[in-house]
Amino acid sequence: MIRLATQKDLPIILYLAQSTFREKWTPIDGKELVELYILDNMQISHFEQDFSNADISFLLVFDEGKPIGYAKIIKHSIPENYAHLGQSFLKIDKLYFLENAHRKGLGSQTMQLIHQIAQNEKIDTLWLGVWGQNTQAIAFYEKAGFTKAGKWYFQMGDKIFDDEWIMSKKI
């Protein structure tokens, strides 16, 4: 099951955000850097702020009643220096699943729902940032119709990652 989150779901979102981020990035970037990022960017106050913004929505993904993934989408978020990609934008800011939830088709279902939301909102371009070496995620996005559109920069602590891609999809 996939559904829009409400503010009552904040504890679930917090759990999924922190858990999935740790699972994915600790083996790559180390515990210290990941925990610093979580401390600076993934506390309940950050998600409360997101819920006060009408352009930000969260989707929660459940498998057998258990929360296993989430997406954060942002309407009207235009990638810097990439306005030429479209007229109206929806950013897929986060799309994370717990490791044991991969390969169940729920990512594709979530992507279909995001696409549907974009169509309902009359948005013509979906976009996201992805680590250029995350071949599994890139293959998933390409299968969903995304193409590489340029470079993206991501900051974690004082480290700036310049091997990130912007991928976009016309609707």
Side-chain angles (χ1 to χ4, degrees), residues 3 8-17 60 62 67-70:
R3 67 169 172 82
K8 290 189 295 187
D9 295 313
L10 278 170
I12 297 170
I13 293 168
L14 183 67
Y15 161 75
L16 287 169
L60 289 174
F62 296 85
I68 53 105
Y70 81 107

Side-chain angles (χ1 to χ4, degrees), residues 9 18 21 43 116 140:
D9 295 313
Q18 292 180 353
F21 198 83
Q43 300 304 309
Q116 190 173 50
F140 170 77

